[in-house]
């Protein structure tokens, strides 16, 4: 409800008094010389006749009237309340309409007419005042910097009259929002005293989070994925769950391990999806990170062809990766993504699921230049925002948009909604993971100013041989902080990498095998659509995937690489993507 000021309430009270308690205009005797206010006394029959056929005085005089139907009496007076008004005055109607200028009816301007004018302008004033209520920033209950973001603009999402985000094209769509809402236990209020956090001030964190829910309900996305959700505060959890539930959402929350205080919240709108299964993935690593997996089915069937509709199933993941405090943590973040994708594969195999789209949402704590981004691209995933805005993987497009300003003041794009359709070709997960890990090894060696030949010598360790042994390989990884730490490669990870690198399986890596690792490029990944040649028709099946219709970041300035200083909802921007179902032909795969 809007919050009215005392002045606004007083004005509204006066308006209501004049509009509803002011006396209704009445007709006066003919000799008053007054202009009459309108009534319903004049009929179509009178208009057709042109004059009053009979002189029958109405049973009730004077006549009450609100709608103008002027007639001219035989005495030259205009009667504004119609035929009945003239009869009350004891005169006949000479014609329909005003009397000629100079007649008695035009001689003066009566109080009733003035009253009508006052009522009209008071009503108009009332509408103006009411309009002012809804333009009040307090009514919007959001940051002023976000007010502009609700307007449609080229390349972003449009809103319906109800406020729901939608595609510009009238077709069934699925919308998804991801938002790191900055847990109050992490929000610093005083840069000089880092220990002062928002969580110490209930009024602050409650008001900010209520505004966050306002925006989420305004957008009404089919899927909502939140990170840094303050699961440790029962009041905040209850507020989110109660309001989202009342709006038709089913919510799932998951705390980070070791009582970190924050976690994840995923909300699925029950008008769009039915939740078939919910799983929790605990990484149990140095960052105590977690992930949620939801298996959902569309409530409204999607059309595959003219004769077949399906209730499409989708796999949704919500996660928040480890923050890269230094480059040695890159391998831990990459391993978290590897675990998510491995878990997805295992879940589909165990449940004998057919091919379906996968949507990954969250704060990935890494930009488009990072190893995580390249790893996901190698697995057939596309960034919904980059697809919607035609941003490529090239370096020139790496900084076109941002979504986060961290506590150090650095800005970058780290929030993504990834989509993988079932018709996307991709390398086997273990091979793709090995290539990504070798990419990090190469990066660490290059940081130490080692070129290709020097890197081979470093890994070889023993200058008396022309190959790399497994023990020398492990020692080298330890020296660049990729093993031997709680967040580094495990023994099994290292062993798997060695198996992938030892192409001929002879137990050592020669220079040619090393070059194969060193020169491995991310451009080799396969992300083209599967063939739809008629020759393969017998081995294909039709399914439903998604195409990215639109995507937008809020506040709008971040889409231009600018972080607005007056934005205070979070230290992250909110990302929303809209997907439209599309028919796909895919090769049959074993579940």
């Amino acid at each position: 409800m809007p919050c009215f000021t005392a002045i606004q309430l007083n004005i509204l009270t006066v308006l209501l008094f004049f509009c509803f308690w002011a006396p209704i205009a009445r007709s006066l005797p003919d000799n008053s010389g007054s202009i009459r206010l309108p009534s319903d006394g004049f009929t179509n029959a009178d208009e057709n006749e042109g004059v009053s056929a009979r002189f029958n005085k109405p049973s009730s005089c004077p006549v009450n009237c609100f709608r103008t139907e002027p007639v001219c009496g035989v005495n030259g007076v205009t009667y504004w309340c119609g035929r009945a008004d003239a009869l009350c005055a004891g005169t006949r109607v000479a014609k329909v309409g005003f009397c000629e200028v100079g007649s008695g009816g035009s001689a003066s301007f009566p109080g009733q007419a003035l009253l009508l004018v006052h009522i009209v302008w008071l009503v108009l004033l009332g509408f103006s005042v009411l309009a002012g209520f809804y333009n009040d920033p307090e009514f919007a209950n959001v940051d002023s910097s976000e007010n502009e973001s609700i307007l449609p603009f080229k390349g972003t999402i449009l809103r319906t009259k109800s406020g729901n985000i939608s595609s510009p094209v009238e077709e069934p769509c699925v919308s998804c929002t991801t938002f790191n809402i900055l847990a109050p236990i992490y929000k610093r209020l005083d840069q000089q005293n880092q220990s002062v956090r928002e969580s110490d001030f209930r009024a602050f964190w409650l008001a900010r989070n209520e505004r966050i829910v306002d925006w989420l309900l305004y957008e009404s996305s089919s899927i909502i994925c939140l990170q840094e959700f303050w699961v440790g505060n029962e009041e905040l959890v209850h507020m989110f769950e109660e309001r989202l539930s009342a709006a038709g959402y089913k919510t799932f929350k998951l705390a980070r391990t070791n009582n970190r205080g924050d976690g994840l919240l995923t909300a699925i709108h029950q008008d769009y999806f039915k939740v078939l299964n919910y799983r929790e993935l605990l990484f149990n690593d140095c960052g105590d990170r977690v992930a949620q997996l939801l298996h959902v089915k569309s409530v409204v069937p999607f059309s595959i062809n003219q004769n077949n509709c399906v209730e499409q199933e989708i796999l949704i993941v919500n996660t928040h990766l480890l923050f890269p405090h230094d480059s040695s943590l890159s391998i831990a973040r990459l391993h978290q993504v590897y675990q998510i994708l491995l878990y997805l594969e295992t879940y589909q195999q165990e449940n004998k699921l057919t091919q379906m789209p996968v949507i990954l949402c969250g704060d990935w704590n890494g930009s488009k230049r990072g190893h995580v981004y390249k790893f996901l691209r190698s697995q057939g995933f596309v960034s919904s925002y980059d697809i919607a805005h035609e941003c490529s993987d090239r370096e020139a497009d790496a900084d076109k948009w941002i979504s986060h300003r961290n506590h150090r003041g650095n800005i970058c794009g780290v929030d993504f909604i990834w989509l993988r359709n079932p018709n996307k070709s991709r390398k086997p997960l273990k091979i793709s993971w090995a290539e990504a890990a070798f990419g990090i090894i190469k990066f660490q060696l290059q940081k130490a100013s080692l070129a290709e030949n020097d890197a081979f010598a470093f890994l070889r360790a023993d200058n008396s041989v022309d190959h790399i042994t497994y023990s020398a390989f492990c020692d080298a990884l330890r020296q660049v902080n990729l093993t031997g730490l709680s967040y580094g490669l495990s023994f099994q990870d290292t062993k798997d990498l060695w198996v992938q690198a030892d192409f001929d399986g002879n137990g050592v890596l020669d220079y040619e095998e090393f070059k194969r690792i060193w020169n491995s490029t991310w451009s080799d990944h396969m992300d083209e659509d599967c063939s739809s040649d008629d020759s393969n028709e017998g081995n294909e099946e039709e399914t439903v995937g998604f195409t990215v219709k639109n995507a937008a970041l809020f506040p709008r300035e971040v889409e231009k690489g600018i972080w607005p200083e007056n934005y205070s909802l979070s230290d992250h921007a909110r990302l929303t993507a809209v997907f439209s179902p599309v028919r796909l032909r895919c090769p049959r795969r074993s579940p």
Side-chain angles (χ1 to χ4, degrees):
M1 290 292 292
C3 298
F4 300 142
T5 64
I7 295 176
Q8 290 171 327
L9 285 174
N10 290 336
I11 294 174
L12 186 59
T13 302
V14 172
L15 292 175
L16 291 174
F17 174 80
F18 275 103
C19 290
F20 294 102
W21 279 275
I24 298 174
R26 298 180 300 173
S27 63
L28 296 177
D30 173 59
N31 57 7
S32 68
S34 300
I35 297 178
R36 317 291 178 168
L37 291 180
S39 77
D40 295 325
F42 189 77
T43 65
N44 290 335
D46 295 322
E47 184 177 358
N48 293 333
E49 293 177 12
V51 294
S52 178
R54 299 175 59 188
F55 187 82
N56 292 326
K57 191 172 183 178
S59 59
S60 177
C61 290
V63 175
N64 296 326
C65 50
F66 269 113
R67 185 161 53 87
T68 305
E69 289 181 351
V71 296
C72 181
V74 293
N75 57 358
V77 175
T78 298
Y79 295 91
W80 293 86
C81 294
R83 174 175 174 271
D85 193 7
L87 295 179
C88 280
T91 187
R92 294 176 180 273
V93 174
K95 69 172 185 175
V96 176
F98 304 97
C99 294
E100 298 297 330
V101 177
S103 67
S106 303
S108 63
F109 198 82
Q112 287 90 340
L114 286 174
L115 178 60
L116 179 61
V117 172
H118 282 301
I119 291 175
V120 171
W121 76 258
L122 285 172
V123 170
L124 292 175
L125 179 61
F127 279 116
S128 300
V129 173
L130 290 175
F133 292 156
Y134 291 94
N135 288 329
D136 193 331
E138 290 299 320
F139 174 70
N141 199 26
V142 295
D143 290 73
S144 59
S145 64
E146 290 223 341
N147 288 340
E148 292 186 0
S149 71
I150 66 175
L151 300 176
F153 56 98
K154 183 178 180 181
T156 58
I157 292 169
L158 303 179
R159 298 179 188 275
T160 63
K161 290 183 179 179
S162 64
N164 298 341
I165 283 184
S166 67
S167 166
V169 181
E170 292 296 330
E171 56 187 9
C173 290
V174 172
S175 55
C176 180
T177 294
T178 185
F179 193 16
N180 182 323
I181 59 176
L182 181 56
I185 53 177
Y186 302 135
K187 183 173 174 60
R188 298 170 173 84
L189 298 183
D190 187 352
Q191 295 301 320
Q192 304 302 320
N193 185 357
Q194 297 288 317
S195 64
V196 179
R197 302 296 173 97
E198 186 188 53
S199 54
D200 298 325
F201 303 90
R202 177 182 178 276
F204 288 4
W205 60 255
L206 184 59
R208 181 172 68 88
N209 279 274
E210 284 181 336
R211 294 202 309 274
I212 289 172
V213 178
D214 289 340
W215 275 107
L216 294 175
L217 296 182
Y218 177 78
E219 289 184 345
S220 298
S221 291
S222 317
I223 305 162
I224 298 175
C225 295
L226 304 181
Q227 303 84 43
E228 286 198 24
F229 179 65
W230 194 14
V231 295
N233 185 283
E234 292 183 1
E235 182 180 3
L236 182 139
V237 170
H238 177 73
M239 185 269 289
F240 269 84
E241 290 182 337
E242 183 178 48
R243 293 189 63 185
L244 289 172
S245 176
Y249 288 92
K250 187 172 184 179
T251 59
F252 302 84
K253 66 178 185 294
L254 175 61
R256 289 169 62 189
T257 51
N258 290 325
N259 297 317
R260 288 297 190 110
D262 69 307
L264 307 171
L265 176 74
T266 302
I268 306 296
H269 204 297
Q270 297 178 93
D271 287 349
Y272 299 95
F273 293 108
K274 175 184 178 182
V275 179
L276 301 180
N277 206 344
Y278 168 71
R279 297 286 183 87
E280 297 176 347
L281 177 57
L282 310 180
F283 297 132
N284 292 314
D285 56 14
C286 63
D288 296 309
R289 302 293 173 167
V290 295
Q292 294 174 297
L293 169 64
L294 289 92
H295 179 192
V296 303
K297 178 189 289 187
S298 62
V299 173
V300 179
F302 295 154
S303 174
I304 292 183
N305 50 51
Q306 293 181 349
N307 302 318
N308 191 12
C309 291
V310 296
E311 294 176 334
Q312 179 61 36
E313 297 181 21
I314 307 171
L315 293 177
I316 303 165
V317 173
N318 181 16
T319 193
H320 182 189
L321 297 189
L322 181 67
F323 183 81
H325 294 280
D326 60 69
S327 59
S328 64
L329 291 172
S330 296
I331 198 69
R333 299 175 59 255
L334 187 68
H335 196 266
Q336 290 171 350
V337 180
Y338 175 60
Q339 285 185 272
I340 291 173
L341 299 185
L342 187 61
Y343 193 82
L344 281 169
E345 278 194 358
T346 303
Y347 177 81
Q348 289 179 281
Q349 291 170 359
E350 289 178 350
N351 293 276
K352 297 181 173 57
L353 300 179
T354 57
Q355 301 176 76
M356 63 184 65
V358 178
I359 297 176
L360 307 181
C361 299
D363 174 5
W364 301 86
N365 262 326
S367 70
K368 293 175 65 174
R369 294 187 178 92
H371 301 284
V372 166
Y373 180 92
K374 296 172 182 177
F375 178 43
L376 286 168
R377 292 288 290 118
S378 74
Q379 282 294 294
F381 286 93
V382 296
S383 163
S384 59
Y385 184 86
D386 289 309
I387 291 295
H389 294 264
E390 299 180 348
C391 297
S392 69
D393 292 340
R394 296 191 301 270
E395 177 68 21
D397 290 343
D399 297 319
K400 277 193 171 181
W401 57 273
I402 60 174
S403 66
H404 175 45
R405 181 171 70 175
N406 64 26
H407 59 282
R408 300 170 181 169
N410 302 324
I411 56 175
C412 53
V414 301
D415 299 273
F416 292 88
I417 297 176
W418 294 95
L419 169 68
R420 185 176 71 190
N421 276 320
N423 69 329
K424 285 292 182 179
S425 294
R426 54 189 182 274
K427 292 181 179 179
L429 181 57
K430 274 198 171 184
I431 294 177
S432 189
W433 147 253
E435 290 182 347
F438 283 130
I440 293 179
I441 294 171
K442 178 180 178 180
F443 176 78
Q444 292 294 94
L445 293 175
Q446 287 179 327
K447 274 185 61 180
S449 301
L450 296 178
E452 181 179 317
N453 291 334
D454 297 329
F456 180 72
F458 174 75
L459 292 171
R460 188 179 57 186
D462 187 355
N463 292 328
S464 63
V465 296
D466 60 355
H467 55 258
I468 303 170
T469 64
Y470 177 67
S471 60
F473 178 71
C474 293
D475 288 340
L477 295 185
R478 189 178 303 110
Q479 291 184 57
V480 292
N481 294 325
L482 293 179
T483 61
L485 301 172
S486 60
Y487 52 82
L489 292 167
S490 67
F491 172 80
Q492 188 59 50
D493 292 334
T494 306
K495 191 68 176 177
D496 290 341
L497 288 177
W498 177 259
V499 171
Q500 294 293 332
D502 186 12
F503 188 71
D504 58 14
N506 66 350
V508 296
L509 301 183
D510 57 30
Y511 188 66
E512 291 301 318
E513 288 172 318
F514 168 76
K515 284 200 303 182
R516 181 171 171 268
I517 297 171
W518 188 264
N519 296 323
S520 177
T521 60
W522 293 102
S523 61
D524 293 335
H525 69 259
M526 301 168 59
D527 63 350
E528 296 83 7
D529 291 346
C530 298
S531 172
S532 57
D533 294 341
D534 293 338
S535 58
N536 296 327
E537 188 171 352
N539 295 323
E540 291 183 342
E541 60 184 355
E542 280 194 332
T543 186
V544 173
F546 289 110
T547 180
V548 179
K549 297 299 296 182
N550 225 327
L553 285 158
F554 303 100
R556 285 180 54 183
E557 292 88 340
V558 301
E559 296 190 325
K560 302 174 183 177
I562 302 170
W563 191 265
E565 293 299 328
N566 60 343
Y567 174 69
S568 61
L569 277 188
S570 175
D571 58 353
H572 284 256
R574 188 173 67 255
L575 171 61
T576 298
V578 177
F579 304 104
S580 178
V582 61
R583 292 192 298 272
L584 302 173
R585 294 178 64 185
C586 305
R588 297 183 187 276
R589 295 175 184 169
S590 301

